[in-house]
Amino acid sequence: MDIKELIAKNISTIKDLRKKLNVNAELSFEENKTQGIIIDFLKDINIETKVLVRTGVVATLNSGDTCIAVRADMDALPVNGVSHACGHDYHMAIVLGTVLILKKLGFNKVVKFIFQPGEENEGGADPMIKEGVLEDPKVNYMIGFHVWPNVKVGTIEVASGASMASVDNFHMRFIGKGGHAAMPHLCKNPIYPAIEFIQSMNIQSRIENNPLDSHIITFASIKCGNANNVIAEKCEVLGTVRTFSNQLRNKLHDDILINSKLSAEKYGCKVEMEYDFQYPPLISNELLTNKFIEITKKLIGVDKVLHLEKTFAAEDFAFFAEKVPSVHFRLGIGDGSKGIHPLHSPDFDASEDSILNGIYIITNFIISME
């Protein structure tokens, strides 16, 4: 029996498992029932498990010093109550299906399966790395993936280099001297440095940076006062920065610090800032990705392996990809009326046929990496 036949023989078990995970959807770092479902399934097929970062699970097939690892995220979203509106139930089911098939094939190399909590919140990848998920056995390569709307079932999108953006958020406070709006000369109005800072950053980021090196600086909120006749003492500015390059990411951070300080000083104000470096850009290793593309084209056909377009959305698999050579691909879920609504939509759904394809592609690649 070949791999695809073996998957087809066991696909109803995996689809039932996906449905069970779906109806037990839980928010970030609250994935207790989800964790239990995963551990119970793995114990039933005699796979060793370990708990990390409270609700995460690591399973290891076979023993040895080094391995290849596969990651699935576990958490759901506050959409329609709580639901898997980002398809993480499919991710878990596909990775659990991969464990099952490799076990049934008698695969004798070491593979680590990482079920990661908190992707939709502050991120569980970095805490898992800090708790040693990439060690004992040491991870040499990693595979990650995401179900992707409007990509047909049976096809994938993949490319080396950056596929998803870094994400950093800032919250700054321009602090001046409040007073009566009829006596502005006695005040230091903080709204003026805030406005100048926003304008100067919008101009500078366009003229100083290579237009081919895409980035976004979005000023999402400005709050200053609540009355016509009062100059407020404080003006708050909230925004986000997204790039595909760590070098540009760091430059924009420095530019924001410098420009906000200069704007504040010009108007006799001060500025305070909280700058939250969240996820780095997700960058797939060139050599590993090219190997994945070559192997997968032979498996499903050249016309089924499509080049992906970058997105400014973020993904904390990026932390794993910073540590070990990794490939991250998008799995098609579109089939007729299924898989056409965007991720995080209350109408998100997917074709269950994508489960077989995901298991088939990942299992084949792991075997081919011997």
Side-chain angles (χ1 to χ4, degrees):
M1 186 180 295
D2 69 16
I3 295 173
K4 199 165 193 176
E5 289 175 351
L6 184 60
I7 299 169
K9 185 178 178 181
N10 291 275
I11 197 65
S12 62
T13 298
I14 303 304
K15 287 181 177 180
D16 289 344
L17 182 61
R18 200 280 306 173
K19 290 172 184 173
K20 188 174 183 180
L21 290 162
N22 181 273
V23 298
N24 286 282
E26 296 165 297
L27 297 175
S28 299
F29 299 109
E30 298 176 10
E31 307 95 336
N32 297 294
K33 290 183 289 183
T34 302
Q35 182 187 64
I37 293 167
I38 291 168
I39 290 174
D40 288 346
F41 179 84
L42 294 169
K43 282 184 176 178
D44 285 345
I45 58 174
N46 297 313
I47 301 294
E48 176 189 347
T49 63
K50 183 166 63 174
V51 170
L52 288 182
V53 193
R54 302 192 313 275
T55 53
V57 180
V58 183
T60 305
L61 176 66
N62 303 317
S63 59
D65 296 327
T66 62
C67 67
I68 187 168
V70 188
R71 176 269 209 168
D73 31 15
M74 301 166 65
D75 53 334
L77 289 161
V79 176
N80 293 332
V82 177
S83 70
H84 276 298
C86 201
H88 294 183
D89 52 335
Y90 281 84
H91 299 173
M92 291 182 283
I94 288 167
V95 173
L96 289 169
T98 302
V99 182
L100 178 64
I101 297 305
L102 288 172
K103 179 78 172 177
K104 286 182 175 290
L105 287 169
F107 186 67
N108 59 7
K109 301 294 182 180
V110 188
V111 187
K112 187 180 286 187
F113 302 91
I114 299 170
F115 297 89
Q116 178 218 304
E119 193 276 330
E120 299 289 1
N121 201 320
E122 64 263 35
D126 192 44
M128 290 192 94
I129 292 168
K130 289 174 180 173
E131 288 192 15
V133 73
L134 299 178
E135 306 299 329
D136 192 29
K138 182 177 178 61
V139 175
N140 287 336
Y141 305 103
M142 278 196 71
I143 307 165
F145 68 100
H146 207 296
V147 294
W148 212 254
N150 295 306
V151 178
K152 289 184 180 179
V153 167
T155 65
I156 66 166
E157 293 184 342
V158 63
S160 62
S163 61
M164 302 184 80
S166 64
V167 53
D168 305 313
N169 294 331
F170 58 84
H171 180 176
M172 61 181 60
R173 289 169 290 275
F174 290 92
I175 301 168
K177 181 181 178 182
H180 200 295
M183 304 172 189
H185 58 293
L186 301 178
C187 306
K188 301 292 182 184
N189 193 335
I191 200 168
Y192 296 130
I195 292 169
E196 179 160 307
F197 163 70
I198 291 170
Q199 292 174 329
S200 66
M201 278 306 306
N202 279 332
I203 294 169
Q204 182 176 340
S205 68
R206 285 198 303 271
I207 65 175
E208 284 194 1
N209 301 302
N210 187 338
L212 298 177
D213 197 357
S214 303
H215 66 278
I216 287 174
I217 303 176
T218 295
F219 298 97
S221 174
I222 181 167
K223 303 174 185 176
C224 191
N226 53 20
N228 297 74
N229 60 346
V230 176
I231 292 174
E233 188 170 289
K234 180 173 65 176
C235 182
E236 295 184 78
V237 178
L238 281 70
T240 188
V241 180
R242 303 196 176 212
T243 75
F244 296 108
S245 156
N246 279 315
Q247 183 178 359
L248 179 57
R249 181 190 194 196
N250 292 329
K251 179 185 181 301
L252 292 174
H253 166 253
D254 292 344
D255 290 345
I256 287 170
L257 289 179
I258 292 167
N259 277 286
S260 60
K261 187 171 183 290
L262 289 174
S263 295
E265 289 174 349
K266 180 177 177 179
Y267 290 92
C269 297
K270 297 186 299 182
V271 63
E272 298 173 349
M273 178 157 52
E274 296 160 13
Y275 199 99
D276 184 13
F277 286 97
Q278 295 190 334
Y279 299 173
L282 173 50
I283 300 173
S284 289
N285 176 267
E286 184 176 4
L287 290 176
L288 186 66
T289 302
N290 288 343
K291 188 166 187 177
F292 175 82
I293 290 170
E294 179 186 354
I295 289 167
T296 308
K297 280 181 175 178
K298 290 178 182 176
L299 183 72
I300 64 174
V302 173
D303 60 326
K304 300 293 194 300
V305 179
L306 311 174
H307 185 82
L308 63 76
E309 296 294 329
K310 295 185 288 190
T311 172
F312 278 104
E315 157 67 81
D316 77 340
F317 184 80
F319 286 106
F320 294 122
E322 280 193 325
K323 297 296 184 183
V324 298
S326 302
V327 56
H328 192 274
F329 70 95
R330 298 172 183 167
L331 180 68
I333 58 172
D335 186 9
S337 62
K338 292 279 188 180
I340 61 173
H341 298 289
L343 300 172
H344 294 209
S345 163
D347 298 314
F348 173 82
D349 60 4
S351 168
E352 283 197 324
D353 290 341
S354 62
I355 296 173
L356 186 150
N357 293 318
I359 297 170
Y360 186 42
I361 289 166
I362 295 169
T363 301
N364 181 76
F365 181 62
I366 290 170
I367 292 171
S368 300
M369 287 291 288
E370 284 190 80

